[in-house]
Amino acid sequence: MIINPRKIPLSIRKLEAMIRRLPPYHPKIPLISEELNKKMAGFKGESSLDFYLGFLDPKAYFIFHDLRLKDDSRYFQIDTLIVTKSYLLIIEVKNIAGTIHFDPLFNQLIRIKDGKETAFPDPLMQVKRQKLQLKKWHTNNGLREIPIYSLVVISNPQTVIRTTPENSLLSQKVIRCEALPSKIIQIENSVHTCIHSEKELKKAIRMIKKQHTELDSSILDKYNISKDELIKGVFCKSCLQFPLARQHGTWFCSVCLKKCNHAHKAALNDYRLLISKTITNSQLRDFLTIESAATATRLLHSMKIPGSGVNKGRVYQLSLFEE
């Protein structure tokens, strides 16, 4: 059963919003686009697991995607965590094209592509660290000690995997996507004891779900970009023209002549992703490029956005709208 479904990460949505809202000639667009391409490749690689995980019994395997927990003062992130009564399984997914060489001497992953060598952190060291952090989290939350296994899954079917002759046990830790179901069955057959009762299993699942916290840091700070550099206004979904005009209770595009009643929701998503989780009437008018405070109030009320405070001091709490 999938407890924490896979969804497009906030980091990707923020990068996409940044590209939408920066002028096309902005000097940091190439850097942001490169980061977005890397994130999208990673997300695509992680998503490729879903087909193979679908072979697992949903009553026995409980799956968390993109999990982020805290083990004292530090957060740690796991691509996929499988929880069972007998063990936990950490899965780290790598979508790296070319030929990859696992170097056990210097604990690095070397990618060779188009004649160029690039070094990456060793994912085996990464999952080793995740195991220690997950074990500490387990102990800190008063849960019974349980075996923790880990796998590195190479999602790109065209990737060539190599290592040194003495690193012969690599195949036990590094596998391809299609080998995942049989590898999980192999782990299952090696564990003969149920550590958690049904009640303890439900408690563990509940605590993991409750303490999961998605990373939500400021992307403007990361790239040292001011909010004043962002393009304001409501975009047309059909032709991407901006800003749309507010006419007779709807948004009107003067280029393709189409109307949209809810185009402001996408704009407020960009505001939430890039600028702030809160907004005032004045800030909404400035970002949507509308003049009327009454119109802004009607929009806020129509979206049922919760707020606190009164008059000009009222602040609204933004959540992301489904698009």
Side-chain angles (χ1 to χ4, degrees):
M1 178 186 295
I2 297 177
I3 305 297
N4 196 45
R6 194 185 305 283
K7 59 182 181 179
I8 298 177
L10 274 178
S11 58
I12 289 180
R13 297 189 67 176
K14 289 186 179 201
L15 289 166
E16 290 175 334
M18 182 77 87
I19 291 174
R20 269 195 303 272
R21 290 287 169 178
L22 283 177
Y25 54 82
H26 195 282
K28 292 186 178 177
I29 285 288
L31 181 64
I32 296 168
S33 296
E34 182 182 2
E35 180 67 14
L36 176 59
N37 289 337
K38 289 180 182 178
K39 294 281 188 184
M40 287 300 296
F43 180 67
K44 182 181 177 181
E46 293 169 21
S47 300
S48 66
L49 257 68
D50 294 346
F51 172 77
Y52 302 100
L53 291 173
F55 289 97
L56 301 179
D57 181 358
K59 295 181 180 179
Y61 299 89
F62 300 87
I63 302 171
F64 293 83
H65 292 304
D66 304 316
L67 185 63
R68 185 169 176 264
L69 298 172
K70 194 174 185 180
D71 75 338
D72 283 336
S73 59
R74 297 163 301 179
Y75 282 95
F76 62 101
Q77 193 155 337
I78 296 173
D79 287 346
T80 295
L81 176 68
I82 297 178
V83 179
T84 75
K85 288 183 178 181
S86 303
Y87 65 92
L88 307 177
L89 175 60
I90 294 170
I91 300 175
E92 177 67 22
V93 186
K94 294 300 178 186
N95 184 13
I96 303 176
T99 297
I100 58 175
H101 177 87
F102 284 83
D103 178 7
L105 181 61
F106 294 104
N107 298 122
Q108 61 182 343
L109 180 68
I110 301 170
R111 190 265 300 276
I112 304 170
K113 185 181 179 185
D114 300 327
K116 180 181 177 183
E117 285 191 353
T118 307
F120 295 86
D122 186 352
L124 293 172
M125 296 297 293
Q126 184 179 349
V127 294
K128 185 176 181 180
R129 182 175 63 252
Q130 290 170 343
K131 282 177 66 174
L132 292 173
Q133 291 178 288
L134 184 58
K135 183 177 180 179
K136 181 181 287 187
W137 180 88
H138 225 254
T139 302
N140 290 348
N141 285 278
L143 297 170
R144 192 192 301 243
E145 187 172 342
I146 190 169
I148 302 175
Y149 297 87
S150 62
L151 290 171
V152 174
V153 177
I154 307 302
S155 62
N156 190 325
Q158 297 180 331
T159 300
V160 177
I161 307 170
R162 291 179 177 163
T163 190
T164 56
E166 62 271 19
N167 198 17
S168 58
L169 294 178
L170 182 73
S171 61
Q172 298 299 312
K173 288 288 186 179
V174 179
I175 63 172
R176 297 188 182 275
C177 276
E178 57 268 23
L180 183 58
S182 59
K183 188 66 178 179
I184 291 175
I185 291 173
Q186 180 184 334
I187 294 172
E188 190 76 36
N189 291 336
S190 69
V191 180
H192 305 290
T193 306
C194 285
I195 306 297
H196 287 325
S197 65
E198 192 70 31
K199 182 178 180 181
E200 288 172 324
L201 178 64
K202 289 180 179 179
K203 178 184 177 182
I205 292 170
R206 187 169 61 249
M207 293 187 78
I208 294 171
K209 188 175 181 179
K210 181 180 180 181
Q211 295 188 30
H212 163 68
T213 307
E214 189 172 9
L215 180 63
D216 191 7
S217 56
S218 171
I219 192 169
L220 293 181
D221 290 346
K222 178 178 179 179
Y223 289 97
N224 194 25
I225 293 173
S226 166
K227 65 180 181 180
D228 295 327
E229 298 176 64
L230 302 177
I231 297 170
K232 298 176 183 178
V234 176
F235 283 79
C236 176
K237 289 185 177 181
S238 298
C239 69
L240 303 182
Q241 175 67 20
F242 67 91
L244 301 188
R246 185 74 181 171
Q247 294 181 2
H248 309 297
T250 189
W251 298 98
F252 175 71
C253 179
S254 59
V255 176
C256 68
L257 306 181
K258 290 191 176 181
K259 297 179 180 180
C260 181
N261 292 334
H262 305 292
H264 52 277
K265 290 185 177 181
L268 289 179
N269 275 352
D270 287 349
Y271 186 95
R272 161 65 179 80
L273 291 165
L274 300 176
I275 299 175
S276 176
K277 300 177 185 179
T278 64
I279 196 168
T280 64
N281 186 298
S282 174
Q283 290 166 337
L284 183 140
R285 282 182 279 133
D286 176 64
F287 194 72
L288 300 187
T289 65
I290 56 178
E291 297 181 359
S292 170
T295 298
T297 299
R298 283 195 295 272
L299 286 174
L300 288 162
H301 287 171
S302 70
M303 293 179 285
K304 299 180 181 179
I305 300 176
S308 58
V310 295
N311 300 327
K312 292 184 178 181
R314 188 165 180 79
V315 177
Y316 296 87
Q317 305 293 324
L318 290 176
S319 297
L320 291 172
F321 298 100
E322 294 293 332
E323 295 186 45

